[in-house]
Amino acid sequence: MEVSISLENIGKFIGKYSLGRDGGRGSLHFLRIKIPAGIINSKDLEEIAELSKEYGRGYAEITDRQDIQLHWIDSEKAIEIFEKLYKLGYTTDLCGQGFTTAGYGDVRNIITCPLSGKISKDVAKISIKLTKYFSGNPEFIDLPRKFKIAFTACGYDCVRAYINDLGMIGVDDGFTALVGGSIGSSYPGATIAKHLPVFIPEKDVFEFVKAVVEIHRDYSSRESKNKARFKNLVNSWGIEKLLKEIEKRVGKLERFEKLDLKPKAHIGVGEQNDGKYYFTLPIVGGVLNDEKLRIIASIAKDYGSGEVRLTPEQNVIFVDVDDVDSIRKELEKHFTIYDKESYYLSIACPSDFCGKTKDVHSKDLLKKLLTVDGDLKIGISGCRNACGCHNVFDVGFVGKLVKRGKEIVQVYDMFIGGNSKLAMKYKENLSPDKAVEEFKKLVNNYRNFKASGKSFEEFVRWYCGVET
Amino acid sequence: MELKLKVIGENRYELDVRGNTCPYPQLFVELALKRVDGTLEVLTDNPPSARDIPLILERRGFKVESKKEDSHWRIKIWK
């Protein structure tokens, strides 16, 4: 016998909204708001600032997938918050990572070139269309595991396409693709994406992306969570078999072998195609608060078109700016505008909230390392899930907890020589102080080496005494 | 959309919310508790919900017992 109970107004949120699990700083839940293509207008930014103030102790952070993440969310207030996001038209990641089995994976926020349409082809349109299509779509919210997509067409890999499940790279009047990237520890370990050597005409790109996600849904392992990421399927099938399956769904695709893609983040100031300017505000570790969100919204309105772009480096780019000097002066009243590139290029995960690290947490370690005078790109992850991309940056640190005597202490493994390829492990089990010391040593050595006109890559080979 | 509560005995009901992430298991339990008296047994495979449901309901004066069964938890709730 059964009793039926109406879901009242909760039904409309299922599949589109959820809370994630926190376990640090007294926070039990986070809310990761997807900002499609990382583009947000000042009005919506103000609304999110209000949510942060009312429900998240005024804290907010930009993630490396261009989301805005709040913490300290009370699950008893979840429906109230979802209702507000629903009215604004935003959705959240579905946090299926809590499940121990393969399943309940969703398509995460699609990383998009933060200067899309401003200095290059507008890929944000298709990225937003796809985000809306996948979010809450019952056919795509029980994937074997999460699926990560990136889009760019500026001529560089500014979206870390090489570590996404599917990276769409603009070429000529269409795209080519990278497949099967993922740097977390799940089987078969950190993997750089492979080129799928085909040309996808712009008019077919929606169906192409949909087909690849369907293949992940239909064929990635459901037997084990550890084996359920798309990289495992790509590795076991190989590129030719994958291509055959894609072509079964979207038709024959023209071959496109040549892909020369260099990583490059959009930072600093530059001219847009329309003669206006963009201006980057560096946000260390992406950490903001409701007041700063409001200031950003107001400056975007007063000095630009009111639109800002969140970047995969956890920064904010103001677009459509007429007067660069004035916006800088205004921003300097509220923020520190660093000149060193490392402040713009480095990232760290929120390990202080997920509870997987003790002091010193990822973002705190990043702050310490950035005070060292070296222009290197630093990535810090609290654990081997690699949310801070430690294994693909110039210098990376990954945290772990080890037993020393009777105490459990925080240590970091140090990686060097990443940047669109996998870095090599250089040192293990460094205390946070020792990590800073090793970093200083590396920076000093690199400074001397660089003076002779050599690259960081050559330095890494020399410093480690091996090929990377 | 609606939830189905299985009657498993006299004043005993089972609510299977497996496959749902936070905060839904907790919300579904609250809806169910509004409708039934007696003992509610909830099945969830979402670890944060297995953590949160006992915390919140004990705060509200319910008695709660949680037991891990294979890949899910069975959480018994009564007054």
Side-chain angles (χ1 to χ4, degrees):
Chain A
M1 213 169 74
E2 281 182 339
V3 179
S4 295
I5 301 173
S6 158
L7 282 180
E8 299 171 7
N9 66 337
I10 295 172
K12 70 180 182 196
F13 303 123
I14 297 171
K16 284 190 172 182
Y17 299 87
S18 84
L19 299 179
R21 171 177 57 181
D22 265 346
R25 297 181 66 178
S27 172
L28 291 178
H29 298 284
F30 67 81
L31 180 80
R32 188 179 298 143
I33 306 164
K34 281 179 171 173
I35 308 298
I39 300 175
I40 185 162
N41 63 48
S42 51
K43 190 182 150 290
D44 289 354
L45 207 51
E46 278 163 8
E47 298 280 358
I48 289 176
E50 193 49 40
L51 288 179
S52 153
K53 187 180 175 195
E54 199 174 343
Y55 303 101
R57 300 190 188 178
Y59 185 92
E61 59 195 1
I62 302 168
T63 75
D64 63 358
R65 297 197 71 81
Q66 300 165 302
D67 313 275
I68 297 179
Q69 187 158 300
L70 311 183
H71 296 273
W72 291 292
I73 302 296
D74 179 353
S75 56
E76 293 176 80
K77 297 275 174 63
I79 290 303
E80 218 175 288
I81 302 169
F82 294 168
E83 186 66 54
K84 290 184 180 180
L85 284 174
Y86 184 82
K87 281 184 186 148
L88 287 171
Y90 290 106
T91 59
T92 71
D93 271 359
L94 301 186
C95 292
Q97 81 268 29
F99 296 112
T100 52
T101 50
Y104 315 120
D106 62 326
V107 175
R108 295 297 164 93
N109 200 32
I110 298 176
I111 308 188
T112 308
C113 170
L115 290 176
S116 161
K118 299 297 174 191
I119 62 160
S120 56
K121 183 161 79 178
D122 186 351
V123 291
K125 269 187 207 152
I126 182 70
S127 179
I128 292 168
K129 187 176 169 192
L130 283 160
T131 303
K132 293 195 169 157
Y133 175 74
F134 286 122
S135 297
N137 185 329
E139 286 179 41
F140 297 97
I141 55 174
D142 185 18
L143 305 176
R145 280 211 65 192
K146 62 190 165 188
F147 195 88
K148 295 180 174 177
I149 304 171
F151 263 89
T152 185
C154 64
Y156 293 95
D157 187 356
C158 59
V159 289
R160 294 191 284 276
Y162 59 94
I163 59 170
N164 276 260
D165 294 298
L166 174 63
M168 299 300 294
I169 314 298
V171 285
D172 306 327
D173 291 329
F175 292 85
T176 191
L178 296 174
V179 288
S182 157
I183 50 169
S185 59
S186 62
Y187 189 81
T191 305
I192 297 294
K194 297 169 181 67
H195 184 208
L196 187 79
V198 287
F199 176 76
I200 305 111
E202 209 160 324
K203 65 175 179 43
D204 299 333
V205 71
F206 183 91
E207 288 304 321
F208 174 87
V209 171
K210 185 169 159 259
V212 177
V213 182
E214 279 169 355
I215 290 168
H216 169 56
R217 180 193 65 195
D218 299 344
Y219 293 104
S220 282
S221 171
R222 285 194 185 261
E223 282 164 28
S224 145
K225 185 177 180 183
N226 188 41
K227 293 185 173 173
R229 284 297 297 267
F230 186 54
K231 63 182 167 185
N232 187 29
L233 185 73
V234 175
N235 271 2
S236 60
W237 273 16
I239 288 293
E240 279 311 311
K241 184 172 174 186
L242 175 65
L243 188 51
K244 224 166 149 185
E245 184 59 37
I246 293 171
E247 287 182 329
K248 250 196 237 169
R249 296 168 189 246
V250 300
K252 194 86 186 141
L253 293 161
E254 190 188 315
R255 290 296 180 268
F256 184 92
E257 304 284 347
K258 200 185 149 211
L259 178 66
D260 180 22
L261 192 66
K262 301 246 178 326
K264 180 188 164 182
H266 297 298
I267 61 171
V269 182
E271 193 174 354
Q272 299 175 180
N273 289 341
D274 59 4
K276 293 190 176 191
Y277 293 87
Y278 63 87
F279 186 96
T280 315
L281 174 66
I283 309 289
V284 177
V287 176
L288 288 165
N289 58 37
D290 64 301
E291 199 190 324
K292 285 184 172 163
L293 285 174
R294 280 196 193 87
I295 292 167
I296 289 168
S298 153
I299 293 178
K301 219 165 20 187
D302 294 345
Y303 294 85
S305 56
E307 179 180 296
V308 298
R309 310 282 180 104
L310 311 180
T311 83
E313 287 72 37
Q314 303 176 302
N315 299 320
V316 171
I317 295 184
F318 294 85
V319 291
D320 310 322
V321 173
D322 291 314
D323 183 348
V324 169
D325 291 337
S326 303
I327 196 172
R328 183 178 175 119
K329 267 185 208 146
E330 187 59 31
L331 283 167
E332 275 173 339
K333 291 180 192 164
H334 313 279
F335 299 91
T336 309
I337 311 283
Y338 302 95
D339 288 321
K340 268 170 55 185
E341 281 197 0
S342 52
Y343 276 92
Y344 294 80
L345 299 174
S346 302
I347 67 168
C349 76
S351 65
D352 45 342
F353 284 104
C354 80
K356 286 181 180 154
T357 50
K358 295 175 83 169
D359 273 338
V360 173
H361 302 288
S362 306
K363 294 196 186 202
D364 301 321
L365 180 61
L366 177 62
K367 276 187 217 154
K368 284 175 190 265
L369 296 176
L370 286 172
T371 61
V372 179
D373 192 18
D375 260 344
L376 293 171
K377 188 170 153 182
I378 308 161
I380 308 183
S381 309
C383 72
R384 63 201 195 113
N385 288 342
C387 301
C389 304
H390 66 275
N391 42 7
V392 287
F393 275 35
D394 291 338
V395 183
F397 291 90
V398 57
K400 59 186 185 189
L401 295 171
V402 296
K403 205 169 174 193
R404 292 227 168 121
K406 284 183 180 167
E407 244 189 307
I408 303 288
V409 296
Q410 179 65 46
V411 295
Y412 285 91
D413 291 348
M414 181 177 182
F415 287 72
I416 56 177
N419 219 354
S420 81
K421 62 178 180 175
L422 292 177
M424 63 172 295
K425 195 191 275 182
Y426 174 62
K427 293 268 174 178
E428 274 188 313
N429 299 333
L430 301 170
S431 68
D433 284 345
K434 192 80 186 148
V436 176
E437 204 181 294
E438 278 297 338
F439 181 70
K440 279 183 186 163
K441 214 159 84 183
L442 179 136
V443 165
N444 286 335
N445 275 289
Y446 176 49
R447 192 178 294 126
N448 297 333
F449 193 87
K450 202 164 89 172
S452 62
K454 291 184 178 164
S455 68
F456 185 67
E457 238 175 47
E458 288 171 295
F459 166 74
V460 170
R461 287 199 288 270
W462 169 76
Y463 202 59
C464 301
V466 286
E467 282 288 322
T468 59
Chain B
M1 287 173 101
E2 51 184 28
L3 283 176
K4 298 279 182 203
L5 264 183
K6 202 163 129 192
V7 180
I8 53 171
E10 196 182 336
N11 287 331
R12 283 180 61 220
Y13 305 89
E14 186 181 85
L15 176 65
D16 187 350
V17 294
R18 283 178 289 185
N20 286 285
T21 55
C22 281
Y24 302 105
Q26 177 189 328
L27 298 172
F28 296 162
V29 168
E30 283 168 13
L31 287 177
L33 287 171
K34 277 192 218 162
R35 277 290 300 274
V36 297
D37 283 324
T39 301
L40 180 67
E41 298 192 13
V42 182
L43 307 184
T44 177
D45 52 358
N46 183 40
S49 299
R51 174 194 67 186
D52 294 347
I53 291 170
L55 271 177
I56 287 162
L57 293 179
E58 278 171 358
R59 220 159 53 201
R60 292 196 201 155
F62 285 91
K63 295 205 170 46
V64 185
E65 239 177 52
S66 179
K67 201 170 82 184
K68 185 91 198 281
E69 294 179 347
D70 301 323
S71 57
H72 65 267
W73 286 262
R74 178 176 291 272
I75 305 173
K76 268 190 202 173
I77 303 159
W78 73 99
K79 270 278 189 191

